[in-house]
Amino acid sequence: MLLHHTLGNGDFNVFANMSAGISCSVAKLNDPRDAAAYIDSTLKECWVRSRPVYITLPVDMVKQKIEGKRLKTPIDLRLPDNDQEKEDYVVDTVLKYLHAAKRPAIIVDACAIRHRVLDEIHDLVSKSGLPTFVAPMGKGAVDETLPNYGGVYAGDGSTAQVREHIEASDLILSIGGIKSDFNTTGFTYRVSRLNTIDFHSNYMVVRYSEYPGVRMKGVLRKIINRMGKLNITAPPKQENVPEENPQFPAPTITHSWLWPNVGNWLQENDIVITETGTSSFGIWGTRFPKGVTAVSQVLWGSIGYSLGACQGAALATKEKMPRRIILFIGDGSFQLTVQEISTMIRNGLTPIM
């Protein structure tokens, strides 16, 4: 390997070691006898935990022969089952508070998408009828055509009706929450811990009690099956429902007019990608048709990312089910990654930008 693959000191492990802090698994393929096992286990961790992994492949290993039997057996990507006694206890505890609540509500966030519980979310929202909201990073996780969909909750960034409804609720089921700065409009959530049940990929929190190792997927399914009749209040009226025949507000196109009316143009199963900044905030005011997937960079706020994300989404849908890919991006961010346009042209991709 070349010296410039190090920090100039000949240590070829330096980049793997640097990546370890943000990776859930790091594999260094230094021996052909265990390389296949390391690759499989690393890919499994990536899928199951929905986090980055890092594999180091030294140049002198590239042409090494390894055992090929593993290629005949698919990697087991199933989530480990919860301990049933713990899971049942958590489910019973959640149901106790849920049945006692007078104004319960649901907030769905990004980790519900990342950790693949959208089927459970759909069943819970549809069956319970509870007022359901999404955080900015959870946009697209809930069918926004459902009558109990209430909008986007982001603390002070919410509409007054949404904020009042959530903050007056006596129980919040927070599913896959990420309490970051942009996602909460500067940490302006006003929801008491005593009124909150948090569902996460590898633990649950009921009020002030934490249950490590109890994954939300199994808990959600049992709650859906056992919940029965609940106290339901109507969600706030959706102010961002697009008009059937919107009138152009001459002479200026305003954000307050544009984003609600984007929903008129969107189609079912579109993929909508919004660049950091104006569009990633503006899209909160767009009510999606059924099946729309939203992609945004609310957490890190990395400008320019969305053009590459658009190329990736377009390539993925070309290989699977054709879907419209729609990108909202400004000229400044566009210039940071404009080279991805050549990749799109080379692969015959046709996103709408």
Side-chain angles (χ1 to χ4, degrees):
M1 295 179 72
L2 299 177
L3 188 63
H4 73 248
H5 291 165
T6 75
L7 294 183
N9 58 2
D11 180 3
F12 294 103
N13 290 312
V14 64
F15 294 111
N17 294 339
M18 288 168 61
S19 298
I22 59 170
S23 303
C24 66
S25 181
V26 174
K28 300 176 182 178
L29 307 184
N30 296 320
D31 189 332
R33 292 171 295 183
D34 54 26
Y38 277 139
I39 292 170
D40 284 3
S41 63
T42 303
L43 293 178
K44 179 175 181 176
E45 286 296 296
C46 179
W47 175 264
V48 170
R49 298 176 64 180
S50 293
R51 287 188 54 198
V53 294
Y54 191 97
I55 297 177
T56 297
L57 178 61
V59 68
D60 56 359
M61 281 286 293
V62 172
K63 294 185 178 181
Q64 293 288 330
K65 290 185 177 181
I66 63 174
E67 176 57 57
K69 283 184 179 180
R70 285 179 170 271
L71 295 175
K72 299 178 181 179
T73 305
I75 301 173
D76 183 2
L77 299 177
R78 292 174 298 175
L79 282 174
D81 291 331
N82 288 328
D83 178 281
Q84 291 304 297
E85 186 174 51
K86 290 180 180 178
E87 181 178 271
D88 287 339
Y89 178 81
V90 172
V91 170
D92 289 342
T93 304
V94 172
L95 288 175
K96 178 183 72 173
Y97 289 118
L98 188 55
H99 287 135
K102 303 300 182 185
R103 289 176 55 92
I106 300 170
I107 301 176
V108 182
D109 207 344
C111 284
I113 303 170
R114 304 294 186 272
H115 293 279
R116 298 174 293 279
V117 294
L118 294 188
D119 288 343
E120 288 79 6
I121 295 293
H122 177 76
D123 291 348
L124 176 65
V125 173
S126 299
K127 184 177 179 180
S128 71
L130 291 175
T132 300
F133 304 81
V134 294
M137 289 181 68
K139 185 80 171 153
V142 173
D143 180 355
E144 299 185 12
T145 66
L146 291 173
N148 51 326
Y149 174 72
V152 176
Y153 179 67
D156 286 351
S158 320
T159 64
Q161 292 87 344
V162 168
R163 188 170 64 250
E164 289 166 6
H165 190 101
I166 286 292
E167 293 170 5
S169 297
D170 58 353
L171 182 67
I172 300 294
L173 303 184
S174 173
I175 304 175
I178 297 179
K179 307 291 175 37
S180 66
D181 47 3
F182 285 169
N183 210 33
T184 62
T185 315
F187 306 106
T188 56
Y189 266 31
R190 294 182 181 85
V191 178
S192 169
R193 166 54 52 201
L194 285 173
N195 294 338
T196 304
I197 298 175
D198 284 312
F199 296 73
H200 291 286
S201 60
N202 58 354
Y203 69 99
M204 293 280 301
V205 182
V206 181
R207 305 177 93 178
Y208 282 100
S209 299
E210 184 169 334
Y211 301 92
V214 180
R215 298 172 183 83
M216 63 179 167
K217 194 174 184 71
V219 173
L220 284 168
R221 182 52 61 189
K222 285 187 176 178
I223 288 172
I224 294 163
N225 294 337
R226 300 180 187 178
M227 64 184 169
K229 186 175 176 57
L230 305 173
N231 294 313
I232 298 173
T233 55
K237 182 180 179 181
Q238 284 291 293
E239 294 187 341
N240 63 340
V241 176
E243 302 172 17
E244 290 186 6
N245 297 298
Q247 299 299 310
F248 187 81
T252 304
I253 298 176
T254 63
H255 288 291
S256 60
W257 178 88
L258 172 65
W259 295 107
N261 284 293
V262 165
N264 262 336
W265 174 72
L266 294 178
Q267 300 174 7
E268 289 190 3
N269 299 315
D270 282 345
I271 296 177
V272 179
I273 303 169
T274 50
E275 178 57 66
T276 298
T278 302
S279 59
S280 65
F281 293 113
I283 203 68
W284 300 1
T286 302
R287 192 166 190 176
F288 287 165
K290 186 175 182 178
V292 170
T293 298
V295 180
S296 67
Q297 184 53 275
V298 176
L299 181 58
W300 304 118
S302 303
I303 65 170
Y305 95 97
S306 66
L307 191 57
C310 176
Q311 185 269 127
L315 191 61
T317 56
K318 181 181 179 181
E319 294 175 355
K320 298 188 74 174
M321 182 182 75
R323 299 170 68 180
R324 291 201 313 174
I325 312 297
I326 298 151
L327 170 64
F328 292 95
I329 186 172
D331 57 346
S333 295
F334 184 85
Q335 292 177 57
L336 291 176
T337 49
V338 67
Q339 64 271 21
E340 291 304 327
I341 295 293
S342 63
T343 307
M344 295 179 188
I345 294 171
R346 186 171 68 252
N347 287 289
L349 307 178
T350 56
I352 301 168
M353 295 186 285

